Amino acid sequence: MKLGLALGGGGARGSYQIGVIKALIESGLLADLKIVAGTSIGAINACLVMGELTFEEMESIWMHLDNNELYGSIDRFKQDKLGIFNQRRMYDSLVKLQSKEAIRNSKIKGLAVACRVKELGLIKQALKSNVDEVIFTLNELEDPHLAVLASSSIPVVFGPTKIGDDYYVDGGLVNNLPIDHLIDEGCTVIYAISLDQHYDLSKYPPHIKIIDFSPKTKLSKTVLGILNFSEQNIKDKIARGYNDALVLIKELNLNEKNLNNI
C-alpha cells in the first residue's frame, strides 16, 4: 500500500480540511502517509501536513490567515494592476510560522499544483487557454512557501506570483483536486478532500481505493463566503470537517490495518 492525500482548493473552506486532518491524525490514519498533493489552499494545508504539525499548530497558523492579513492592503493594484490585494502578507506569515527546512526535510513528499501564465494581463491571467499546469515538488525547492503562494494566487483577487522569470496563478484553474498526480506517483489508497461537491471521483481507475472525506453539502454558497477568513468561519469549518470525518471513519471502520481491505 502507498498512501496519498489529495487536498483541493476552495479559499477559506480549506479550514474544513484541517478538521478532517485532525480526525485522521487522532485515528492513526496518517501514520503511513507517503505523499500529499494540494491545489491552492490545499497546497498550504499540504505544507502543514508535511511538517507533521499538531492540530493546535495548524489551527494557530490558520488563525493568522485572517481577513485583515489577506485583504488589508490594495498596494498590489497600485504596483502593477495585475491583482487587487497583496498576498505577500500571507507568505510572510507562513514563513514566520513554519520553517522552509521542515518542508524540504519532510519524510512526506509534497506536490503543489499551479498555473504558469503565458501572457500577462488582468483578465488574461484567468483564462484557461492562457495557462499551463505546473507541478512543484515542495521538498526540492529552496523556497517551498513561494510555490505554495503561486498555487493559491487567485487571478485578479491576488494576481500572479513571480518565480524566476515566470508568473503563476491558482492551480484550481486547471486541476482543483490533484488525485491524478498521486496515481502517477504510485499511490494505491488515497484520501480525497475536495471542497466542491461536483467533483467526480468515479473517473479514476477502480483498482485505486479513494476514500472521500469531502463535505456532502456546500460549505459556502457565495464568493464572499469562500473568501471569508474570519475566525468564527474558520472555527466552524474546522469543527464540521472534524465531526464529518469521525462519522465516516466509524462508518467504514477505518484503521491503519484495514486500509487495503476496504
Side-chain angles (χ1 to χ4, degrees):
M1 182 191 74
K2 185 174 183 179
L3 179 62
L5 173 63
L7 301 173
R13 296 176 297 174
S15 49
Y16 180 92
Q17 294 173 345
I18 297 301
V20 176
I21 290 167
K22 177 185 180 184
L24 292 174
I25 292 172
E26 290 181 353
S27 303
L29 292 168
L30 286 185
D32 294 323
L33 183 67
K34 298 295 188 287
I35 180 168
V36 56
T39 299
S40 195
I41 200 70
I44 292 175
N45 287 337
C47 276
L48 310 187
V49 171
M50 291 174 71
E52 298 184 83
L53 302 182
T54 65
F55 164 71
E56 289 75 20
E57 290 170 329
M58 293 183 187
E59 184 182 45
S60 175
I61 289 175
W62 262 86
M63 289 300 112
H64 279 81
L65 303 179
D66 60 16
N67 288 327
N68 182 61
E69 184 82 5
L70 294 171
Y71 315 122
S73 171
I74 60 169
D75 57 355
R76 174 63 190 267
F77 189 77
K78 297 175 183 177
Q79 174 190 341
D80 60 14
K81 294 183 172 56
L82 289 175
I84 300 173
F85 302 105
N86 184 1
Q87 198 182 16
R88 294 288 301 197
R89 298 173 71 176
M90 180 177 76
Y91 169 85
D92 291 340
S93 285
L94 288 174
V95 171
K96 188 186 304 180
L97 297 166
Q98 186 185 32
S99 72
K100 295 177 174 63
E101 289 74 18
I103 299 170
R104 287 197 296 260
N105 298 330
S106 176
K107 67 181 182 183
I108 301 168
K109 185 174 183 178
L111 305 178
V113 179
C115 291
R116 182 188 292 116
V117 179
K118 300 175 186 176
E119 186 177 354
L120 282 179
L122 186 64
I123 303 303
K124 289 179 180 178
Q125 65 183 275
L127 302 177
K128 289 184 180 181
S129 59
N130 189 44
V131 301
D132 292 320
E133 182 178 359
V134 173
I135 312 301
F136 292 108
T137 301
L138 300 177
N139 316 66
E140 300 174 354
L141 300 178
E142 181 179 347
D143 190 348
H145 291 116
L146 192 57
V148 166
L149 193 73
S151 177
S152 56
S153 294
I154 302 173
V156 182
V157 176
F158 296 120
T161 292
K162 187 178 182 181
I163 301 179
D165 295 326
D166 294 315
Y167 288 84
Y168 300 86
V169 292
D170 198 305
L173 275 179
V174 295
N175 190 348
N176 208 33
L177 186 65
I179 290 176
D180 50 335
H181 297 299
L182 293 177
I183 294 174
D184 291 343
E185 290 282 341
C187 289
T188 54
V189 178
I190 297 171
Y191 303 144
I193 317 176
S194 170
L195 300 171
D196 295 307
Q197 283 66 49
H198 65 269
Y199 206 88
D200 181 15
L201 297 179
S202 66
K203 63 183 180 181
Y204 297 106
H207 68 279
I208 304 297
K209 298 173 183 178
I210 300 177
I211 304 172
D212 187 12
F213 283 95
S214 309
K216 306 310 177 195
T217 58
K218 284 187 176 181
L219 294 173
S220 298
K221 297 181 180 180
T222 66
V223 174
L224 289 179
I226 293 172
L227 297 177
N228 179 15
F229 282 79
S230 70
E231 180 176 330
Q232 191 57 54
N233 188 43
I234 289 172
K235 286 186 174 181
D236 289 346
K237 299 292 189 296
I238 289 175
R240 182 171 166 185
Y242 178 68
N243 292 326
D244 286 355
L246 288 180
V247 169
L248 183 60
I249 289 169
K250 184 176 181 179
E251 284 180 354
L252 298 179
N253 190 29
L254 282 178
N255 58 64
E256 285 181 75
K257 297 179 180 179
N258 72 0
L259 284 177
N260 272 323
N261 301 315
I262 300 166

